[in-house]
């Protein structure tokens, strides 16, 4: 398998499309919470997306269950994936989708710090390190707003869960690159995460007594379908294909553009406030992207 050292035009185009979808995803998840609990929402979307991946792979003749030593890495990645989305969906009950999508993009720090231990060729230069530190400072600046109590009740808790979700997302990327999953197909890698997370999240929903709605409105069907089919199935397949072919550090850093789309979607679709402090944080994230990817 050829692994490229820089992002080419095709990779940038795919990444931009994924970033737009991921920015919209937090808005869809937040909107759906009015009709379905966070853990059931996350579990069912993983389950449906997993079935789609299974069918897609079967249609293309891709072997998903052939023993290849990837099971330990797959279970680890799946559990990290489950914990990440539990944090996101529960956190959205306390903070806005706009803020959640900003905090999620701390994940490149985890990848940047961990990747040199896995692939020395992906060690950051001093300029890239400074860029990541600037972006980290920007997110910390935004987090301080939640501690001041100027937003919705318990906003700081939702923000904190967003930060934890970012750490788990970065850990998932490192687990994929550090284990036999790095040589597995994108379909198999994604199915591990979706299948394991669907079971783990459903178990969490049952354990906490979260109610599963039996009557679904067309609004909920649309929001859920977007998350499961477009985001969890299509965009994640593309993302894991990119991880196998391009440097993980550069990929993760480029995804820092997602908060821009999340902020715009939250403001336009949910009427969420975009505060000056959050805009300054976004500017810091943008500066970090430029420094890391030059």
């Amino acid at each position: 398998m050829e692994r490229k050292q820089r992002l080419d035009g095709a990779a940038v185009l795919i990444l931009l499309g994924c970033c737009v979808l991921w920015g919209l995803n937090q808005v869809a998840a937040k909107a759906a919470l009015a009709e379905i609990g966070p853990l059931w929402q996350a579990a069912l979307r993983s389950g449906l997306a997993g079935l789609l991946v299974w069918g897609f792979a079967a249609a293309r003749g891709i072997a998903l269950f052939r023993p290849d030593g990837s099971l330990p890495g797959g279970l680890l990645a799946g559990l990290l994936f489950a914990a990440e989305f539990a944090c996101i969906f529960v956190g959205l009950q306390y903070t806005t989708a706009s803020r959640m999508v900003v905090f999620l993009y701390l994940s490149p720090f985890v990848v940047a710090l961990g990747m040199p231990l896995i692939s020395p060729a992906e060690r950051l230069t001093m300029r890239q390190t400074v860029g990541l530190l600037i972006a980290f400072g920007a997110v910390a600046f935004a987090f301080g707003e939640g501690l001041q109590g100027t937003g919705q009740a318990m906003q700081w808790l939702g923000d904190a869960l967003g930060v934890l979700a970012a750490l788990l997302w970065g850990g998932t990327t490192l687990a994929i690159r550090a284990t036999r999953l790095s040589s597995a197909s994108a379909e198999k890698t994604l199915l591990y995460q979706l299948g394991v997370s669907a079971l783990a999240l459903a178990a969490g929903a049952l354990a906490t007594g979260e109610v599963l709605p039996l009557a679904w409105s067309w609004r909920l069907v649309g929001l859920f379908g977007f998350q499961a089919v477009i985001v969890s199935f299509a965009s994640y397949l593309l993302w894991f294909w990119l991880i196998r072919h391009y440097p993980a550090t550069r990929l993760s850093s480029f995804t820092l553009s997602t908060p821009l789309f999340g902020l715009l979607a939250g403001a336009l679709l949910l009427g969420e406030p975009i505060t000056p402090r959050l805009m300054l944080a976004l500017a810091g994230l943008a500066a970090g992207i430029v420094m890391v990817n030059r």
Side-chain angles (χ1 to χ4, degrees), residues 95-192:
T95 193
T96 65
S98 302
R99 295 181 66 82
M100 177 62 75
V101 77
V102 171
F103 291 121
L104 275 176
Y105 287 86
L106 277 173
S107 64
F109 295 99
V110 181
V111 177
L113 293 173
M115 275 309 301
L117 302 176
I118 299 170
S119 174
E122 296 194 31
R123 189 176 302 275
L124 292 176
T125 64
M126 179 59 69
R127 182 185 65 243
Q128 291 172 320
T129 301
V130 171
L132 286 174
L133 289 174
I134 290 174
F136 176 80
V139 172
F141 180 67
F143 189 86
E145 190 172 41
L147 296 176
Q148 294 175 356
T150 56
Q152 63 189 78
M154 300 287 287
Q155 180 174 277
W156 66 268
L157 176 58
D159 292 348
L161 287 171
V163 172
L164 180 55
L167 298 177
L168 291 163
W169 183 10
T172 303
T173 301
L174 293 174
I176 292 169
R177 286 295 305 274
T179 65
R180 295 291 294 274
L181 282 180
S182 62
S183 58
S185 67
E187 293 82 1
K188 186 166 188 173
T189 300
L190 182 54
L191 186 59
Y192 269 127

Side-chain angles (χ1 to χ4, degrees), residues 22-109:
W22 296 339
L24 288 169
N25 183 64
Q26 310 310 319
V27 173
K30 175 80 172 181
L33 286 174
E35 300 184 56
I36 186 172
L39 296 180
W40 274 124
Q41 184 181 175
L44 293 176
R45 87 167 199 162
S46 286
L48 176 56
L51 291 174
L52 291 173
V53 171
W54 189 350
F56 177 77
R60 298 184 61 198
I62 299 172
L64 295 178
F65 304 104
R66 182 181 301 159
D68 57 3
S70 64
L71 180 60
L75 292 176
L76 174 60
L79 291 173
L80 289 171
F81 190 83
E84 173 197 340
F85 279 94
C87 289
I88 292 172
F89 282 68
V90 172
L92 283 170
Q93 296 179 112
Y94 303 102
T95 193
T96 65
S98 302
R99 295 181 66 82
M100 177 62 75
V101 77
V102 171
F103 291 121
L104 275 176
Y105 287 86
L106 277 173
S107 64
F109 295 99

Side-chain angles (χ1 to χ4, degrees), residues 17-18 109 135 168 172 183 201 207 239 246 254-255 266 273 279:
C18 287
F109 295 99
L168 291 163
T172 303
S183 58
L201 290 164
W239 170 249
Y246 295 92
F254 195 94
T255 60
M279 289 302 297

